[in-house]
Amino acid sequence: MIEAHIREATGGWTYSQVSAQYLAASADKTTPAATLATLSGVRQTAFMGESLRGFLLSADQAWQVTYLVIGLGIAFAGTGLATLFGGAVALASARKARKVTVPETAASLTEPRLNVKTEQ
């Protein structure tokens, strides 16, 4: 929208074209002061409009990068929480799977694997 207004104000010319016209007119000593004033105003309008347009486009781009960074932060936090939860579940299930019991008699120590109890 800003570009359309700049083109309308400058007659469809870019800032560099208007600036070249102004510089050529100011170098020519026969150019009337009113023409120089008009070209100077159009040049300033084009410069300010292009600057504003560039600033706004940069701000929009920075805003989009912010959304990207927030999304990546959420994704990494989710991955970390899922990994933490998975590790906790693995530790809890490994701890439950095998429990060592103390044998009641000395005779049970000679028989292999009597002191290991598996829960199901």
Side-chain angles (χ1 to χ4, degrees), residues 12-24:
W13 294 36
T14 63
Y15 168 73
S16 62
Q17 292 169 332
V18 172
S19 183
Q21 277 185 342
Y22 173 76
L23 292 174

Side-chain angles (χ1 to χ4, degrees), residues 28-73:
D28 185 10
K29 301 299 180 192
T30 61
T31 305
T35 304
L36 281 176
T38 302
L39 282 174
S40 176
V42 171
R43 178 181 178 212
Q44 183 176 6
T45 300
F47 178 76
M48 292 177 125
E50 289 294 333
S51 297
L52 177 63
R53 183 173 177 262
F55 295 149
L56 290 175
L57 288 174
S58 295
D60 181 58
Q61 183 180 17
W63 194 262
Q64 298 302 321
V65 169
T66 302
Y67 282 141
L68 172 69
V69 170
I70 289 171
L72 287 173

